[in-house]
Amino acid sequence: MSSVYEDVVWVDFDLLERFMVDVFKSVGVPAEDAKICANVLITSDKRGIDSHGIGRLKPIYIDRIREGTQKPVTEFEIVKESPTTAVVDGHDGMGHVIAYKSMKIAIEKARKFGMGMLAVRNSTHYGIAGYYPLMAIEAGMIGITGTNARPSIAPTFGVENMLGTNPLTFGMPTDEEFPFVLDCATSVAQRGKIEVYGRASKEIPEGWVIGPDGKTRTDTQQILIDLNTGGAALVPLGGIGEETAGYKGYGYATVVEILSAALQGGSFLKMLTGIGENGEKKPIRIGHFFMAINVEAFTSLEEFKKTTGDILRELRASRKASGEERIYTAGEKEYLAWLERKDRGAPLNDVLRKQLVQLRNEFKLGNYKFIWE
């Protein structure tokens, strides 16, 4: 991935976050909601997850609001509730806002009753899944979330994109400087990472995407088109076929699909294409689920953090393969990315820089002067 970061300008995080807030407000997102959306996106850039940061501001969120497939003002409706659970209808609002409020409620329920879970329907893309378990971690809890998405993954032995990239994400507090956060798609690579390669005009590695013939493809720009038309599909975790256990990724993607649709009466699979019968664009209406588990309902938070930290430290201290310098645990690389970027900011290539200038000029945000100009 290092070649992807050629010809970039590093831009201050606070500036970018303020800019995103103003852009969201310019398309009708209320100020407090705009702050939530911008914080989710900038957190992704801070953690080195450039596939889900400011690079998605225009093509995913602003463009969808302008085309009418996503509502800037979020109507957050609880349609069913118990002491430990709730079902939410997001009414095509801002996915970040729906997800933030849902996890906040799950945490409140877990604080009172030990566990809390919310299932959401009729939502939209909510950014990096890891943001929401981090909220639970801040409250001294375990956080879990998942979401379905536009069809992208082909089932094992299939070539049709049926399942979304469907991340299954866990976050757990530790006694270290960074928590354990496993935030990854159930495909070998997700659409956002392919978009990063596309912005850099690079071909993707073999084994990420297959064509209708079941063979791997690397032609990034055409793949980004064909993923929307059914002419290409992402490969599930484990790879093509069963020899490297692709059925496991396929199975976990299906678990996320069920939990993102069946509990809340939501949409699933081909219902999530975002394309109507006559080819018109329509709301994607994806589903999510959020769980918060109060550690104190089982053991002391201090003891949990220490045991978790001991596990992670022993894993990193285990014998390394020849030529390898270190072993990582989930969440460590994101922490290291933050240490590297906290004084530098986010890397913006030429495509992103042009997008920001376009948005600034279009919305008349003349108070922003970018360092590359």
Side-chain angles (χ1 to χ4, degrees):
M1 285 287 288
S2 59
S3 61
V4 173
Y5 295 113
E6 295 172 355
D7 187 31
V8 300
V9 174
W10 296 85
V11 184
D12 179 73
F13 288 127
D14 290 341
L15 171 68
L16 292 177
E17 187 170 6
R18 290 195 305 272
F19 178 75
M20 287 192 284
V21 169
D22 287 341
V23 170
F24 278 122
K25 287 165 59 179
S26 296
V27 292
V29 179
E32 289 305 309
D33 289 358
K35 291 177 183 177
I36 293 171
C37 297
N39 191 252
V40 174
L41 294 184
I42 205 64
T43 297
S44 184
D45 285 315
K46 287 178 178 180
R47 292 173 65 79
I49 309 172
D50 299 320
S51 58
H52 284 62
I54 194 169
R56 287 197 155 181
L57 174 65
K58 180 187 180 297
I60 298 294
Y61 308 111
I62 303 307
D63 286 357
R64 288 180 182 178
I65 290 171
R66 291 191 290 197
E67 70 190 16
T69 59
Q70 182 167 334
K71 296 177 182 176
V73 178
T74 302
E75 180 187 350
F76 183 91
E77 180 186 9
I78 296 176
V79 296
K80 187 174 184 178
E81 189 171 18
S82 79
T84 58
T85 65
V87 176
V88 170
D89 194 318
H91 296 286
D92 305 325
M94 301 302 294
H96 320 81
V97 176
I98 297 162
Y100 176 86
K101 291 182 176 180
S102 294
M103 182 54 93
K104 196 171 181 181
I105 292 171
I107 291 168
E108 291 170 358
K109 290 179 179 293
R111 187 171 287 120
K112 292 180 181 178
F113 301 105
M115 298 181 73
M117 180 172 180
L118 272 75
V120 176
R121 68 182 182 226
N122 297 329
S123 185
T124 56
H125 194 279
Y126 70 1
I128 52 166
Y131 185 92
Y132 309 103
L134 284 170
M135 292 174 60
I137 290 169
E138 283 292 314
M141 300 184 188
I142 297 167
I144 304 172
T145 186
T147 179
N148 60 11
R150 286 181 295 169
S152 298
I153 298 176
T156 299
F157 301 138
V159 295
E160 184 177 0
N161 52 350
M162 297 293 295
L163 293 151
T165 47
N166 293 13
L168 181 58
T169 303
F170 298 82
M172 303 174 194
T174 79
D175 64 352
E176 301 190 295
E177 293 180 323
F178 52 92
F180 178 89
V181 180
L182 181 65
D183 179 7
C184 51
T186 47
S187 52
V188 172
Q190 79 277 31
R191 191 187 302 254
K193 186 171 286 189
I194 298 173
E195 291 169 353
V196 171
Y197 275 81
R199 288 195 293 269
S201 299
K202 305 286 185 181
E203 287 200 344
I204 62 169
E206 292 187 358
W208 287 13
V209 174
I210 56 173
D213 59 0
K215 295 181 179 179
T216 188
R217 288 178 53 181
T218 61
D219 50 326
T220 306
Q221 300 297 344
Q222 188 60 42
I223 284 169
L224 287 169
I225 296 172
D226 292 347
L227 283 173
N228 293 328
T229 62
L234 300 179
V235 175
L237 274 176
I240 300 170
E242 287 190 337
E243 288 187 1
T244 53
Y247 62 89
K248 295 181 180 179
Y250 165 38
Y252 283 121
T254 307
V255 168
V256 175
E257 193 77 24
I258 293 168
L259 292 179
S260 299
L263 285 173
Q264 53 277 74
S267 301
F268 54 89
L269 299 179
K270 292 293 188 178
M271 298 165 68
L272 302 173
T273 61
I275 305 297
E277 292 182 3
N278 298 319
E280 75 282 5
K281 292 183 178 180
K282 67 176 185 177
I284 298 177
R285 293 181 176 145
I286 62 178
H288 323 300
F289 61 92
F290 304 89
M291 297 178 66
I293 302 171
N294 191 342
V295 170
E296 296 281 359
F298 297 86
T299 186
S300 72
L301 180 58
E302 182 180 358
E303 183 66 24
F304 179 89
K305 285 183 173 182
K306 182 183 183 305
T307 300
T308 304
D310 287 345
I311 291 168
L312 302 179
R313 285 184 286 273
E314 287 193 30
L315 288 170
R316 293 197 297 269
S318 63
R319 190 166 63 247
K320 301 166 187 62
S322 176
E324 299 297 335
E325 295 184 359
R326 64 190 296 180
I327 293 170
Y328 298 89
T329 51
E332 183 180 8
K333 285 190 175 183
E334 290 82 355
Y335 174 70
L336 294 174
W338 162 245
L339 292 181
E340 180 186 349
R341 292 183 175 199
K342 61 186 177 66
D343 297 322
R344 301 181 73 188
L348 306 186
N349 66 10
D350 183 61
V351 173
L352 285 181
R353 297 196 296 268
K354 288 178 179 177
Q355 285 183 7
L356 266 58
V357 170
Q358 177 187 343
L359 290 170
R360 181 196 61 189
N361 295 343
E362 180 177 351
F363 296 124
K364 297 180 173 58
L365 301 174
N367 54 319
Y368 289 95
K369 178 71 174 179
F370 297 118
I371 61 173
W372 63 83
E373 295 180 300

